[in-house]
Amino acid sequence: MKFSHPFNQKYAVVQLFAGLILGLITPIMYVVFQGKGLSTLHIGSLIIISAITTMLLEVPCGVIADKYGRKASYLLGQLFMACAFLLIFLYSDFIILTLAMLLQGLSLSLVSGTLDAIFVDKQKQLSDNPGFLQKNLAQAGYFHHFGIFIGAVMSALLSLLPQLHFLTENAEFFYQIAFCLIPIQMLFVSFFIQEVSPQKIGNKVGFFSLLSNTTSQLKGRKTLQYLLFSTTTAVIAYMSFEKFWQLELQYLLGSESKNWLFGVLVALSLLFSMIGQTLSPAYCQLFQHNYAHVLITIRLASGASFFALFLSDSIIPFALCFMLIFFLNALSTSAVMTLFHHSVDDHERATLLSIRSFFLQLGALGGTLMASTIADVFSIKVAFGVSCLIYFISTLFFFIPVVSTLARKLSQEVRFSN
């Protein structure tokens, strides 16, 4: 898979590199905290601190990006992330680690939606064809997942090499690698990713005025509201799988020791995510780029997959559903984002992406609480069954006239451009 335009090629490298950093530290994040002597309660507290910080700062940081520059916001966010990594691998004190997670939350808020907004603005400059945007969004997602895959594989291989055991026995080593990679990523973005600003926001407009105007305008945008509600509903459903699949797999395994299977499934999840991103343009073409119809079919298939999880009582059907869910999730991403980006104004893109991220995190929090409660009272299988129903409910948003009208309009634009 490759991009034809030089900007997109450079952006693919940026996404690959960002995924590589994420892939290096994701498998060992909890292990690092555990190795520092933190209790499960302390680890959970640190995760919650980072999540709440990100949620609270998402929208204000999106406004900052739109007002002062998206690339500048991204670079500042990466600098804060480097500081967070430095604190994590140098210190074990809970107070200092709390500061690190606060910096990580701030970093995620500053970075959120910035490069995405730059990328989409460039695609719309190159072509107004929605199919062109959807295809390139899918390709960008592919390279990000591929980077995570490479990072995770590198993390596993480095840990297995006996020559490096003296380094990898301390999981902080991977945070050190990530810390060293962040400046390289920052330099690459600084020199090779040029920001496109079709409509700059005047410097005389105050920050709080911009924040108030954006959030008030969201109230009048029915299409955008329904897309946000639909995505949030789907995230609520997805959380029962993302947070509890390991526990359900452990239950199915029983007393058997097959820890290697967890690593294999994580690798397969990334592989099938890449396949989903790759096939996404062709799947959208089947529906003549009517993205509402695309998403209805995928959400129904996702609901059916969760129902199959509800029924599964052995490893093989569970593994098949596992791979299918990741495939379907990746297959839908670019279609969702194409509808979203054609519902927002260019000069507010980073802000509204931050608002979308806030809704996603809110849905993730609600979905986790719902799934954990159901799993505690009944079982994880029942939580999967409830998620199946929620997925079916999420499809109803795409039948709402304003959403279906936008989907038909984009489909007509693609056919006209072709």
Side-chain angles (χ1 to χ4, degrees), residues 16 18 27 30 39 47 109 130 133 174 212 232 273-274 277 292 324 326 335 341 344 404-405:
L16 185 71
Y30 300 150
S39 66
I47 295 169
S109 300
L133 174 61
F174 296 102
S212 176
T232 304
S273 293
M274 288 187 286
Q277 295 281 7
L324 181 59
F326 276 100
H341 284 299
V344 305
S404 59
T405 299

Side-chain angles (χ1 to χ4, degrees), residues 323-373:
M323 292 180 286
L324 181 59
I325 287 170
F326 276 100
F327 171 78
L328 292 170
N329 188 53
L331 191 67
S332 69
T333 302
S334 60
V336 170
M337 295 311 298
T338 301
L339 282 173
F340 175 85
H341 284 299
H342 280 276
S343 304
V344 305
D345 296 330
D346 292 342
H347 66 282
E348 297 175 333
R349 196 175 306 283
T351 302
L352 289 169
L353 279 168
S354 294
I355 290 175
R356 181 179 185 273
S357 181
F358 174 84
F359 272 84
L360 294 182
Q361 293 175 65
L362 196 62
L365 179 61
T368 302
L369 290 172
M370 180 202 72
S372 59
T373 302

Side-chain angles (χ1 to χ4, degrees), residues 1 14 23 32 38 43 63 69 96 99 101 108 116 178 189 202 211 218 222 292 346 366 372 383-384 396:
M1 177 179 287
V14 169
V32 167
L38 299 183
I43 295 173
V63 175
I96 295 179
L99 174 60
M101 299 309 281
L108 293 172
D116 295 332
V189 171
L211 181 61
L218 181 62
K222 294 297 183 184
D346 292 342
S372 59
F384 290 155
L396 299 178

Side-chain angles (χ1 to χ4, degrees), residues 7-269:
F7 175 88
N8 292 352
Q9 293 170 2
K10 295 170 184 175
Y11 186 81
V13 175
V14 169
Q15 289 295 88
L16 185 71
F17 214 77
L20 173 64
I21 295 172
L22 184 61
L24 277 170
I25 63 170
T26 298
I28 50 87
M29 184 183 300
Y30 300 150
V31 177
V32 167
F33 290 145
Q34 199 171 48
K36 292 178 180 292
L38 299 183
S39 66
T40 305
L41 177 61
H42 281 151
I43 295 173
S45 299
L46 290 174
I47 295 169
I48 291 171
I49 287 168
S50 177
I52 291 177
T53 304
T54 305
M55 287 182 66
L56 292 177
L57 297 179
E58 273 283 5
V59 179
C61 287
V63 175
I64 289 172
D66 279 333
K67 179 173 173 59
Y68 298 107
R70 294 154 183 176
K71 187 161 80 169
S73 178
Y74 176 84
L75 294 174
L76 182 61
Q78 289 291 83
L79 183 61
F80 282 128
M81 184 63 78
C83 292
F85 285 177
L86 185 65
L87 293 176
I88 288 171
F89 73 72
L90 285 181
Y91 297 97
S92 300
D93 183 74
F94 180 74
I95 300 299
I96 295 179
L97 292 176
T98 298
L99 174 60
M101 299 309 281
L102 287 170
L103 288 173
Q104 179 175 292
L106 173 59
S107 169
L108 293 172
S109 300
L110 285 166
V111 167
S112 177
T114 50
L115 290 187
D116 295 332
I118 294 173
F119 180 75
V120 172
D121 286 341
K122 184 64 177 180
Q123 304 318 299
K124 296 185 76 174
Q125 185 184 69
L126 294 173
S127 174
D128 289 331
N129 189 335
F132 179 82
L133 174 61
Q134 185 272 322
K135 177 183 177 182
N136 287 328
L137 283 170
Q139 290 180 329
Y142 169 88
F143 282 100
H144 185 67
H145 280 97
F146 188 46
I148 297 174
F149 179 77
I150 293 175
V153 170
M154 283 180 58
S155 179
L157 290 178
L158 288 173
S159 299
L160 290 173
L161 288 175
Q163 298 89 338
L164 295 177
H165 181 68
F166 71 100
L167 291 173
T168 58
E169 63 179 349
N170 295 319
E172 289 95 333
F173 170 70
F174 296 102
Y175 269 98
Q176 296 175 37
I177 297 176
F179 172 78
C180 295
L181 291 177
I182 286 178
I184 301 173
Q185 172 83 336
M186 292 174 66
L187 286 172
F188 198 93
V189 171
S190 298
F191 287 105
F192 296 110
I193 301 299
Q194 301 301 318
E195 185 168 4
V196 179
S197 301
Q199 182 179 348
K200 292 184 178 180
I201 299 175
N203 290 327
K204 294 182 179 179
V205 181
F207 169 80
F208 290 104
S209 297
L210 285 173
L211 181 61
S212 176
N213 290 339
T214 301
T215 52
S216 62
Q217 286 179 27
L218 181 62
K219 296 177 182 178
R221 300 181 182 183
K222 294 297 183 184
T223 305
L224 194 55
Q225 288 177 24
Y226 292 135
L227 289 174
L228 289 174
F229 292 150
S230 171
T231 303
T232 304
T233 305
V235 168
I236 291 172
Y238 184 73
M239 281 302 105
S240 67
F241 172 72
E242 182 176 278
K243 300 299 182 183
F244 296 104
W245 72 265
Q246 293 173 328
L247 296 179
E248 179 63 14
L249 178 59
Q250 187 64 50
Y251 170 78
L252 293 175
L253 288 172
S255 59
E256 294 182 70
S257 179
K258 292 184 178 180
N259 292 335
W260 57 268
L261 187 57
F262 291 87
V264 170
L265 286 179
V266 171
L268 286 174
S269 72

